[in-house]
Amino acid sequence: MRYVLNTGDDRREMLQIIGAGDIEDLFSDVPPEVRLKKPLNLPGPMSEPDLRRHMREISAENLNLDDYASFLGAGAYDHYVPQIVDQLLLRSEFYTAYTPYQPEISQGTLQAIFEYQSLICALTGMEVANASLYDGASALAEAALMACQHTGKKRVVYSGCIHPEYRLTVQTYLRYRGIELVEAPEAGGITDSQLLEGMVDSRTAAVIIQQPNFFGCLEDAPAAGELAHRSGALFIVMADPVSLGILKAPGDCGADIVVGEGQGLGNQISFGGPYLGFMACSQKLVRRMPGRLVGQTVDKEGRRCFALTLQAREQHIRRDKATSNICSNEAMCALAAAIHMTCLGKEGLRQVAGLSLQKAHYAHRLITSLKGVEPSFSAPFFKEFAVRLTEDPAAVNQRLLKDKIIGGLDLGRFYPGYSGHMLLCCTELRTGDEISRLAAGIGGMKND
Amino acid sequence: MTEPLIFELGAPGRSSSFMPECDVPVAPVEEMIPGGLLRRTPPPLPEVGEPEAARHFTRLSAYNHGVDTGFYPLGSCTMKYNPKINEFAARLPGFARLHPYQPEDQVQGALELIYRTGGYLGEITGMDHFTLQPAAGAHGEFTGLLIIKAYHDSRGDTGRRKVIVPDSSHGTNPATAALCGMEARQIKSNGRGLVDIDALRGALGEDTAAVMLTNPNTLGLFEKDITVIAGLVHRAGGLLYCDGANMNAILGITRPGDMGFDLIHLNLHKTFSTPHGGGGPGSGPLGVKSFLEPFLPTPVVAYSAEGGSYRLDCNRPLSIGRVRSFYGNFGVAVRAYTYIRAVGGEGMREISQNAVLNANYLLALLRGTYRAPFDRFCMHEFVATPPAGFKEAGLHTVDIAKRLMDYGYHPPTVYFPLIVEEALMVEPTETESRDTLDKFAEAMLKIAREGLEEPRLVKEAPHSTPVSRPDEVTAARKPVLRWQPAGGGGVV
């Protein structure tokens, strides 16, 4: 076994020092009736060249986004990941370390997380951000629980335009907590504001919207925030971090808690994970926050340094009284996000958001001018939009694939009422040529 | 020796932006987005060039201790070597550049990898079905307890709200019970560090939903009476949950499924060599016996023999639903799959044999100077307490931990499990050589002498790290949780 260093001689001498005759003696506490009587039925070991070949073969059974231009979005985005991000992630001092419980020898991870927290605050316009959660969906669920704990109320109103998988996750988290979950319906691609208003009352702990929402449309976030606050509820915004290059910060729209899927910030799309959920909130909520927090302090010599802090919220101290059962965060994904935000900088993030916006709107203009294609909604949108097709979206996608284009998502998968509608996404990576080919494919024409 | 914050570097107008020119006709932003939703000023992000960023983060990395820098015997965390071929595999475009909503026929390789990984984990643990959706160990526990709740409810057995955990359990166990709206009940361990059978018997009843155990337990001891325990739990109508954090001790030797456990979560970042990443991403696959399969989170990857293809099965009426988006930490699963294929079946057994050998060897070298509360062979880790005379000299476990840093080591886990006062929990793993263990033991024995001869040297350690002990009390009392420009307002 190539990752074990002990030789036969080592083993013999070590056993002698231990005072055991045989390695089996060390397992004498394992009762015979539960001992494995036969070898594990697993394939045999592989040499590294064979393994490399094998992994390349399995990976080659997939169509990847280097070879195909993808117009899929819906919570996982093909934004550019600059080379510097992955190069730095490969510093094994970062990736072979664990949770920075020992700050004297973990300042690298601690400072990087502190910078990540500061960057998320800058982006969202909030006062505090944690060290990251598993993904956007679980971050949203944690935010809902946090709001209930803070307000002492047990009713959450959320928009039906939030990503369906996020809503399912929230349902799972809240199921056994005696919390009533109320869904405000969608109308014209955005949350029905009149129905929403009727649902929010003084028993409500939180109002939750996604901005831009699952359909790519922009909600009237400031109005939803006012509505929440009028009833004494917290306002939770689920934001696309990339959109914040041009969209108003949720903190300026009255948000008390901001969560989101951070994948678009320097993380590979990787078939859905690992991603990171970011979470930011106002100062008054910090002691209710789940997950890890890094704080600035000084060492004995008065030098600035960083350490995990407010750990009295966490499971390893409080056990069943903790704010959450969370132990790990998604530190490497948060590091990727920090490097990415750093390198994009003030101007770069605006450029990425602006390019995505322009390309999506160009694609929208082109596609909705095609015969038989109607825009699904008239609400303003950022980088995603839906169109109604006269043909089955799966058939359209089959045709597009021949031209090395991966088309959009059939909305019928999540909203039966919108079957026959396709959700399309453009990031800064989609070129004018790819967009033309997308339009040509949808229109049933073939470009030469 | 400290590194400036990224916000303190760079200059206005500097950037590492790498964006192309817009190659489509442009429309005015104000026509596309209502003015009330537009940002007036760009977000206050840093303005640095790529060379500065590269140097900054590279320097930061140098302030870390990782497995590649040195020995990292952090008990309960299994800090083994992270093979480099795993990193290669996870970065292949055919894995890293896949969208989760590509149609199934475009991602057969990815689905196959998830399916096969689940199968291998099932064989290793003796479970029938696995889901890879949970993102971490605690997330696996959450998924497991929800399944247990759904199972009892499906039988009309709705009064089972209690989850029994030993007092040596991980903090995530009782915290997870609370997250699921259940009540954790703690039972005392016996004098040998094992589950007290009488206490368990007394705690079991009609309200018992489950018993959560780690085996070997957090003291590094194998629960010898595990089949008796399983019988008691099942007769009381409860289910037996295995916290698989300590799986590295028993690969190919014994299987939780054969011991009577009904569910188990694994930590791919512990046993299956995926990087800990400074605290994540991990992955916490959950395995169950057949009778619990209908409750697994949606979707599951299914294989159809006729078509010879894999698909996502979403039609699962009894499922607990989703615990996160998409299919879990796929990139972590790719690494674990790569590891399992590199090692093979017989290699699994060798891993555990050497993990247990290394732990016992280190214990043998330290025993006599450090106190071991349980006088028997350990499994893959052991718990020790400070040498005689330390308490009188005003020295504690934390001081030993800090002094170890001066010798180039990451300290063991400290003050856990809670039932051993001043605990030092040591887990060397199989990827360390005898030579490393000898040198580490030497340092530990030297610290034992220093503590008596020169207690201040130990009390004030570390002396050679980039920073000395941080003031954690002030950090918690007056939290500074983000950078703010000078004059940028009060402390937050």
Side-chain angles (χ1 to χ4, degrees):
Chain A
M1 224 295 282
R2 59 178 174 273
Y3 307 128
V4 166
L5 301 179
N6 295 327
T7 64
D9 283 345
D10 286 333
R11 274 193 280 270
R12 268 190 298 282
E13 289 168 27
M14 290 163 81
L15 284 168
Q16 220 163 29
I17 288 170
I18 293 167
D22 186 272
I23 220 156
E24 282 302 312
D25 293 354
L26 304 177
F27 293 93
S28 54
D29 280 347
V30 180
E33 70 268 24
V34 300
R35 291 286 192 109
L36 198 57
K37 307 290 186 303
K38 53 183 189 345
L40 288 172
N41 181 21
L42 295 177
M46 285 176 104
S47 72
E48 189 163 313
D50 288 345
L51 184 55
R52 192 185 148 100
R53 195 175 304 118
H54 172 67
M55 295 311 291
R56 284 174 55 93
E57 278 165 11
I58 304 191
S59 74
E61 290 167 35
N62 304 313
L63 307 189
N64 75 72
L65 306 193
D66 278 352
D67 298 339
Y68 290 77
S70 163
F71 290 89
L72 281 169
Y77 297 105
D78 188 21
H79 286 296
Y80 185 64
V81 181
Q83 287 304 312
I84 185 175
V85 173
D86 197 46
Q87 288 291 319
L88 289 169
L89 292 187
L90 279 169
R91 294 287 307 187
S92 63
E93 298 91 331
F94 280 132
Y95 78 76
T96 71
Y98 197 24
T99 304
Y101 290 125
Q102 298 290 349
E104 298 86 350
I105 48 173
S106 313
Q107 284 299 304
T109 296
L110 286 163
Q111 183 170 332
I113 293 177
F114 183 81
E115 292 177 356
Y116 162 82
Q117 292 175 179
S118 306
L119 289 160
I120 291 293
C121 287
L123 205 55
T124 55
M126 303 301 286
E127 292 168 318
V128 188
N130 73 5
S132 76
L133 298 165
Y134 303 138
D135 72 335
S138 59
L140 183 63
E142 294 276 3
L145 288 173
M146 190 174 152
C148 291
Q149 279 166 6
H150 177 75
T151 58
K153 299 175 185 175
K154 297 213 144 198
R155 188 165 187 274
V156 171
V157 179
Y158 68 171
S159 158
C161 303
I162 294 173
H163 194 304
E165 293 196 3
Y166 302 172
R167 277 183 286 135
L168 287 172
T169 305
V170 174
Q171 287 166 23
T172 308
Y173 269 72
L174 268 49
R175 185 168 307 136
Y176 299 119
R177 300 298 291 273
I179 297 168
E180 185 193 357
L181 194 52
V182 188
E183 186 173 306
E186 168 268 344
I190 56 172
T191 315
D192 187 316
S193 57
Q194 277 190 335
L195 289 176
L196 177 69
E197 191 159 353
M199 289 171 167
V200 180
D201 59 21
S202 61
R203 298 170 301 146
T204 307
V207 175
I208 312 178
I209 62 154
Q210 186 178 4
Q211 179 78 319
N213 67 25
F214 179 68
F215 303 107
C217 297
L218 295 173
E219 302 274 2
D220 189 349
E226 271 172 41
L227 172 67
H229 292 157
R230 268 206 306 278
S231 303
L234 296 184
F235 182 41
I236 301 175
V237 175
M238 173 121 212
D240 171 357
V242 172
S243 75
L244 298 179
I246 50 171
L247 292 187
K248 191 182 252 184
D252 293 334
C253 299
D256 300 289
I257 306 174
V258 183
V259 292
E261 175 51 70
Q263 176 266 328
L265 298 172
N267 280 272
Q268 292 292 352
I269 201 159
S270 192
F271 203 48
Y275 292 175
L276 71 152
F278 65 85
M279 177 184 265
C281 67
S282 56
Q283 173 66 20
K284 64 174 195 271
L285 294 171
V286 63
R287 282 171 207 272
R288 299 275 179 197
M289 217 177 200
R292 294 188 178 130
L293 281 167
V294 172
Q296 180 181 309
T297 184
V298 290
D299 73 355
K300 281 194 307 186
E301 282 73 35
R303 290 175 291 203
R304 176 170 67 188
C305 63
F306 303 91
L308 291 175
T309 194
L310 301 180
Q311 294 189 68
R313 302 164 297 115
E314 293 187 61
Q315 50 77 26
H316 61 284
I317 311 278
R318 292 293 295 281
R319 297 178 74 85
D320 55 336
K321 302 286 188 298
T323 54
S324 161
N325 75 334
I326 283 200
C327 179
S328 64
N329 64 344
E330 302 286 295
M332 284 305 279
C333 303
L335 175 64
I339 298 168
H340 190 68
M341 283 187 274
T342 293
C343 289
L344 282 175
K346 215 174 234 185
E347 262 318 299
L349 190 71
R350 185 152 74 173
Q351 282 175 3
V352 173
L355 284 167
S356 304
L357 175 82
Q358 292 292 354
K359 293 188 174 191
H361 282 76
Y362 171 69
H364 184 264
R365 292 196 295 273
L366 215 56
I367 291 165
T368 53
S369 67
L370 296 168
K371 204 166 161 252
V373 181
E374 296 285 333
S376 303
F377 313 113
S378 60
F381 63 94
F382 171 53
K383 66 183 177 191
E384 287 171 276
F385 60 91
V387 288
R388 193 181 71 200
L389 307 175
T390 47
E391 203 180 341
D392 177 19
V396 174
N397 282 336
Q398 274 302 329
R399 192 162 63 234
L400 287 166
L401 197 62
K402 294 198 187 103
D403 197 21
K404 296 229 153 191
I405 301 275
I406 293 172
L409 179 78
D410 181 352
L411 273 182
R413 172 169 174 172
F414 295 113
Y415 293 85
Y418 286 119
S419 100
H421 293 244
M422 184 186 267
L423 183 66
L424 291 157
C425 172
C426 288
T427 67
E428 77 283 4
L429 283 182
R430 298 289 68 83
T431 64
D433 171 61
E434 289 163 356
I435 294 170
S436 305
R437 279 154 55 206
L438 170 73
I442 289 178
M445 303 166 287
K446 186 83 179 96
N447 273 350
D448 282 327
Chain B
M1 175 125 184
T2 52
E3 172 72 10
L5 285 164
I6 193 70
F7 302 93
E8 296 159 349
L9 296 168
R14 212 175 275 172
S15 128
S16 328
S17 196
F18 26 66
M19 285 305 128
E21 292 293 309
C22 192
D23 66 345
V24 302
V26 169
V29 173
E30 297 71 26
E31 282 176 20
M32 297 184 276
I33 296 186
L37 295 180
L38 277 176
R39 192 185 263 280
R40 297 234 168 76
T41 51
L45 299 181
E47 294 178 274
V48 298
E50 181 171 324
E52 284 172 296
R55 194 169 280 167
H56 173 70
F57 288 104
T58 302
R59 279 183 175 161
L60 284 186
S61 74
Y63 296 145
N64 260 9
H65 180 105
V67 175
D68 281 3
T69 352
F71 187 41
Y72 208 130
L74 191 65
S76 206
C77 298
T78 314
M79 301 301 292
K80 63 170 72 177
Y81 176 68
N82 306 133
K84 303 312 168 200
I85 184 83
N86 299 356
E87 297 306 308
F88 161 81
R91 285 168 170 80
L92 285 165
F95 296 132
R97 300 276 293 132
L98 292 189
H99 191 286
Y101 288 153
Q102 282 177 252
E104 287 162 355
D105 59 358
Q106 296 179 15
V107 292
Q108 284 294 303
L111 296 177
E112 179 182 351
L113 186 136
I114 292 174
Y115 186 86
R116 280 206 210 171
T117 303
Y120 297 156
L121 298 179
E123 170 65 13
I124 290 167
T125 57
M127 291 292 165
D128 299 314
H129 297 277
F130 259 88
T131 171
L132 270 52
Q133 198 176 109
H139 210 210
E141 291 178 33
F142 175 56
T143 309
L145 285 194
L146 288 173
I147 287 174
I148 289 169
K149 187 104 178 61
Y151 164 75
H152 289 312
D153 286 353
S154 76
R155 294 155 42 94
D157 196 357
T158 52
R160 296 186 177 270
R161 289 196 64 250
K162 292 228 168 90
V163 177
I164 299 170
V165 300
D167 54 6
S168 60
S169 67
H170 293 116
T172 50
N173 297 173
T176 303
L179 184 62
C180 297
M182 298 202 260
E183 200 183 306
R185 169 146 186 208
Q186 202 157 289
I187 54 166
K188 276 206 177 333
S189 303
N190 66 21
R192 290 170 299 139
L194 303 175
V195 170
D196 185 318
I197 302 288
D198 288 330
L200 175 66
R201 208 176 263 129
L204 285 168
E206 286 179 356
D207 59 357
T208 304
V211 175
M212 297 178 90
L213 289 183
T214 310
N215 198 18
N217 68 20
T218 61
L219 296 159
L221 303 174
F222 194 87
E223 297 282 357
K224 290 192 289 188
D225 299 325
I226 188 61
T227 54
V228 176
I229 293 170
L232 286 172
V233 175
H234 290 148
R235 267 197 296 285
L239 297 184
L240 190 57
Y241 182 93
C242 185
D243 174 338
N246 290 346
M247 195 67 207
N248 210 46
I250 55 171
L251 299 168
I253 288 162
T254 177
R255 309 192 304 174
D258 299 339
M259 298 176 205
F261 284 101
D262 302 298
L263 314 84
I264 183 174
H265 83 259
L266 296 170
N267 303 76
L268 296 185
H269 48 289
K270 294 180 181 176
T271 315
F272 296 94
S273 86
T274 74
H276 284 70
S283 174
L286 181 85
V288 298
K289 288 288 178 66
S290 288
F291 71 99
L292 296 173
E293 190 273 344
F295 305 100
L296 285 175
T298 304
V300 299
V301 177
Y303 177 69
S304 99
E306 306 105 74
S309 64
Y310 299 87
R311 64 187 177 84
L312 291 163
D313 179 8
C314 299
N315 182 22
R316 304 175 53 76
L318 292 177
S319 165
I320 59 158
R322 277 194 163 275
V323 293
R324 57 159 293 166
S325 60
F326 309 121
Y327 325 116
N329 283 345
F330 175 73
V332 180
V334 173
R335 292 171 171 92
Y337 175 90
T338 308
Y339 180 68
I340 293 170
R341 297 306 304 262
V343 167
E346 189 49 36
M348 289 290 159
R349 194 175 161 81
E350 255 181 83
I351 288 169
S352 289
Q353 285 180 335
N354 284 280
V356 171
L357 176 70
N358 280 356
N360 277 287
Y361 179 68
L362 200 48
L363 176 59
L365 297 181
L366 298 180
R367 182 178 271 157
T369 306
Y370 287 81
R371 291 182 283 193
F374 307 101
D375 186 23
R376 56 186 315 111
F377 289 138
C378 65
M379 297 297 280
H380 65 306
E381 66 188 0
F382 62 89
V383 173
T385 61
F390 263 51
K391 196 173 177 185
E392 294 71 18
L395 291 174
H396 298 279
T397 289
V398 63
D399 303 311
I400 298 167
K402 300 300 183 193
R403 183 63 181 147
L404 273 170
M405 297 175 190
D406 287 330
Y407 291 101
Y409 299 111
H410 193 289
T413 295
V414 290
Y415 300 105
F416 185 82
L418 308 175
I419 58 169
V420 176
E421 218 178 305
E422 297 281 324
L424 274 160
M425 188 192 204
V426 190
E427 179 182 8
T429 85
E430 75 282 4
T431 61
E432 298 299 335
S433 67
R434 180 189 174 189
D435 194 40
T436 299
L437 304 179
D438 285 339
K439 290 199 177 110
F440 176 75
E442 232 171 78
M444 288 287 282
L445 299 180
K446 195 153 172 231
I447 293 170
R449 287 195 300 276
E450 288 172 349
L452 302 183
E453 292 160 7
E454 250 182 302
R456 274 190 58 187
L457 185 66
V458 179
K459 190 81 202 164
E460 288 170 9
H463 305 277
S464 58
T465 48
V467 298
S468 59
R469 295 190 197 187
D471 180 353
E472 298 187 33
V473 175
T474 307
R477 210 167 276 164
K478 289 187 187 167
V480 179
L481 302 174
R482 66 171 161 144
W483 175 85
Q484 288 193 88
V491 170
V492 162

